[in-house]
């Protein structure tokens, strides 16, 4: 093509490029650079299951204690966990890593929680960690939290993770499905 | 203009563009892509106000308990909250969402705290969440914490939030003003 | 050079630039824009050292208490801290800021922790804060956590911090070395 047409094409391309560099405005498509689905399994210590427990109540309000989630929708309970991560919904499947961190119930009249935790991988497929934080209004079917960083294979990553309660048994066993969508991959 | 002048202009433009692509160096202006001011209202459970309380002490040091903030500048107290967010400083205004998470007092000789929480919106104007973390040296008039992520309308956002203690009554009611400045908007 | 050669050079440059703008894919070199090494010093309150203590146990599992880290690898203990930051490994060196936040032990059969904290600087060299979160499998010599944000001199920063346990004495004094590598500097 002629130099003129080339220059115009160039110009359009540059304008597009330039627009994506506008301060603070990111026009990138909301298309994940990586997507992964995992399950993790939380078994809360209740005074009798110390062999299987993967989580313990470590904070309770004035009306609670450390071996059963408190009344008033567990408001004020803080739970620390180190749960196995699996690729399917079977607690007994081989784990590909550990979900480590805490959640706390923060409301009196409804079940709702706040989470800070990491996925720590150490499998042939993944090494490194993904860090999460966010509100978990667990009466909703799907809840979005933030992926706030990562290390190793997930160096500097950011994204959004969608949580679903996949199953629960009484107030001791909870299984969460996590659909991780990473939008920044280095 | 002539092809030569066009090319030089192009070259300068490219150099500018190139410089903003230097690894890890971000020359974007510190101009927010979105700015919002809110208030939130924290009423700590004290054994008598269970009807109005929006927060509960769930962690205390050896010298504390769960119905009153501990001595030594509350060092070691952890408080879980689910507070109404309002557009003005009136506790009784219609809330536009909930501030959910925790703070902890982390110093013996002065009031200072650390915060991890989310703004969860569900109004006609905003849906989604903004996640925050950071130190809150609350004796300072203004304190900056980080916006570490967001979901929904605030998908993938990052920024800085400036906290001010707008009012407090005894050790039960606190009102915070939050000036949210988002510098990454998707 | 001739216009043609210039145009081809330009084209190659643009392609390179373009490729770094692929949605969600960041081809920037993993070269820090800022790197700093610090030490911080954690002295846990044990009922006798209130004068020197910089940290307090504020959460404990059913089998623990607030003046000594619990059995079963401290699983379920939550510790709140406000520790001095120094440039070398000497506890008595002048501090350049405070490390403020919490850690919690989250596993029964091995020592492993989860951290949420800030470095709050107020020296002639640095003003502002850096916020951290992540898993700390503290039996490993080196552990990576995420830098999730910053304020002041560290406005909007992100990165990775490598922790090393530099020393410990009994279960009261811990010294951590932190190698902070920032990959996003504004």
């Amino acid at each position: 093509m002629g130099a003129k047409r080339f220059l115009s094409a160039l110009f359009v391309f540059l304008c597009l490029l330039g627009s994506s560099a506008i301060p603070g405005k990111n026009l990138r498509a909301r298309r994940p650079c990586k997507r992964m689905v995992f399950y993790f399994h939380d078994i809360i210590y209740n005074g009798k299951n110390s062999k299987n427990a993967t989580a313990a109540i470590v904070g309770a309000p004035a009306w609670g204690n450390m071996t059963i989630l408190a009344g008033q929708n567990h408001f004020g309970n803080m739970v620390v966990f180190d749960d196995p991560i699996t690729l399917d919904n079977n607690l007994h499947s081989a784990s590909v890593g550990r979900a480590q961190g805490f959640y706390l119930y923060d409301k009196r009249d409804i079940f709702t929680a706040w989470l800070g935790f990491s996925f720590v991988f150490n499998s042939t497929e993944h090494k490194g960690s993904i860090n999460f934080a966010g509100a978990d209004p667990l009466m909703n079917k799907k809840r979005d939290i933030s992926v706030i960083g990562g290390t190793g294979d997930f160096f500097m990553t950011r994204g959004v993770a969608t949580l679903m309660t996949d199953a629960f048994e009484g107030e001791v066993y909870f299984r969460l499905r996590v659909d991780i969508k990473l939008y920044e991959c280095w």
Side-chain angles (χ1 to χ4, degrees), chain A residues 40 42 54-58 78-85 98-104 114-120 130-133:
Chain A
F40 67 98
D42 199 48
T54 65
I57 303 172
V58 304
M78 175 169 176
V79 176
V80 168
F81 61 89
D82 172 80
D83 295 344
I85 303 169
R98 309 292 295 189
Q100 305 186 326
F102 72 99
Y103 53 90
L104 38 85
W114 200 88
L115 294 162
F117 67 102
S118 303
F119 270 19
V120 181
I130 302 177
N131 299 317
F132 304 85

Side-chain angles (χ1 to χ4, degrees), chain A residues 79-108:
Chain A
V79 176
V80 168
F81 61 89
D82 172 80
D83 295 344
I85 303 169
T86 57
L87 294 174
D88 61 21
N89 66 3
N90 187 338
L91 169 62
H92 303 293
S93 294
S95 83
V96 296
R98 309 292 295 189
Q100 305 186 326
F102 72 99
Y103 53 90
L104 38 85
Y105 291 92
D106 49 31
K107 200 174 170 68
R108 206 174 28 140

Side-chain angles (χ1 to χ4, degrees), chain A residues 63-175:
Chain A
W63 57 89
N65 66 55
M66 302 299 178
T67 48
I68 188 156
L69 291 170
Q72 307 205 37
N73 294 297
H74 314 337
F75 176 43
N77 272 136
M78 175 169 176
V79 176
V80 168
F81 61 89
D82 172 80
D83 295 344
I85 303 169
T86 57
L87 294 174
D88 61 21
N89 66 3
N90 187 338
L91 169 62
H92 303 293
S93 294
S95 83
V96 296
R98 309 292 295 189
Q100 305 186 326
F102 72 99
Y103 53 90
L104 38 85
Y105 291 92
D106 49 31
K107 200 174 170 68
R108 206 174 28 140
D109 27 306
I110 202 176
F111 285 117
T112 188
W114 200 88
L115 294 162
F117 67 102
S118 303
F119 270 19
V120 181
F121 295 98
N122 193 7
S123 67
T124 47
E125 200 175 349
H126 298 303
K127 297 211 185 310
S129 66
I130 302 177
N131 299 317
F132 304 85
D136 177 15
L138 40 80
M139 299 309 284
N140 298 355
K141 198 177 170 206
K142 296 187 175 196
R143 298 93 67 180
D144 282 346
I145 61 172
S146 290
V147 173
I148 57 173
T151 67
D153 290 356
F154 304 100
F155 178 79
M156 287 289 287
T157 199
R158 293 185 70 231
V160 169
T162 303
L163 303 177
M164 291 176 64
T165 304
D166 193 59
F168 61 94
E169 285 167 26
E171 300 196 328
V172 170
Y173 175 69
F174 298 87
R175 184 169 69 227

